[in-house]
Amino acid sequence: MPGIIVTDPPKAEAKDVEALAGYGVATVHEALGRTGLLGHHLRPNQRDTRVAGTAVTVLSWPGDNLMIHAAVEQCGPGDILVVTTTSPSTDGMFGELFATALKRRGVRGIVTGAGIRDTAELRAMGFAAWSAAVSAQGTVKATGGSVNVPVVLGGETIRPGDVILADDDGVVVVPRERAQEAAEKSRAREDKEAATRAAFHEGQLGLDRYGLRETLRRLGVEYRTYEEHTGAGS
């Protein structure tokens, strides 16, 4: 399998990445019209952690981590490694040694559609990881692939330099050209939710705040007393 390693791809502006880091995955996903979510199958190895960074992408052969080694050289401060495979794989392609090398280079975490291992060590060293599997199964280093090319994970295309935001709820990708827009829309959504939260604290119901009583009426949903529903007492 021939491949290519692309050097110095364009990246989202650092200020926009840092702005997005202030919001949760769910907020950003909703703010961008429910787009960019990489699926429910990617689970965090740690808890209470949120990272945002620019993608360095890897396309590898299943069970082969040669191209991750090649990708380490292309990683720098503020990056997040995104690893995909040419067909489904659950092998533990990434572990503590890779994390040590990446942490030294200022990388903020890894997202992979394959497997990771050394999970306790990753948590102990504070290296964030989201993966589709955890497996002790090892890999080889024998097949070519690509680095910093567009890849697909969870049905979403990720290009090098796009923003990756990950937390306990999952992982979302923001196209690098939309990073500033995403941050602005996320701020507006959080402001709106803050007002709603305050209203709920005061006792207002979502049925009224969101105008949902009319929706129920339009859908033909009826209110009936227990006696009317069951015929009790007749």
Side-chain angles (χ1 to χ4, degrees), residues 160-172:
D162 284 346
V163 182
I164 299 294
L165 177 67
D167 62 18
D168 286 357
D169 290 339
V171 185
V172 67

Side-chain angles (χ1 to χ4, degrees), residues 9-73:
K11 296 182 178 183
E13 294 289 336
K15 62 180 178 59
D16 297 327
V17 177
E18 293 310 308
L20 282 169
Y23 305 105
V25 166
T27 295
V28 174
H29 170 59
E30 294 279 357
L32 285 182
R34 299 182 183 177
T35 62
L37 194 63
L38 302 190
H40 65 275
H41 65 297
L42 297 176
R43 303 309 306 152
N45 182 50
Q46 60 290 312
R47 295 186 63 182
D48 302 326
T49 298
R50 179 188 298 159
V51 297
T54 45
V56 172
T57 62
V58 180
L59 179 62
S60 290
W61 197 261
D64 192 311
N65 67 7
L66 172 63
M67 299 314 296
I68 300 180
H69 283 278
V72 171
E73 184 181 23

Side-chain angles (χ1 to χ4, degrees), residues 22-24 26-27 50 169 186-206 209-210:
Y23 305 105
T27 295
R50 179 188 298 159
D169 290 339
S186 296
R187 174 59 185 271
R189 182 173 179 84
E190 283 219 335
D191 289 345
K192 182 179 179 181
E193 288 187 347
T196 298
R197 188 177 301 109
F200 286 173
H201 274 301
E202 294 298 318
Q204 186 177 15
L205 296 175
R209 185 165 186 83
Y210 301 135

Side-chain angles (χ1 to χ4, degrees), residues 9-10 35-39 41-42 53-59 80-85 110-113 130 146-165 171-177:
T35 62
L37 194 63
L38 302 190
H41 65 297
L42 297 176
T54 45
V56 172
T57 62
V58 180
L59 179 62
I80 292 179
L81 193 65
V82 178
V83 179
T84 63
T85 52
I110 180 174
V111 173
T112 176
W130 286 257
S146 295
V147 176
N148 279 335
V149 299
V151 298
V152 176
L153 186 54
E156 296 289 337
T157 298
I158 303 164
R159 301 166 305 160
D162 284 346
V163 182
I164 299 294
L165 177 67
V171 185
V172 67
V173 58
V174 178
R176 56 181 181 260
E177 302 90 347

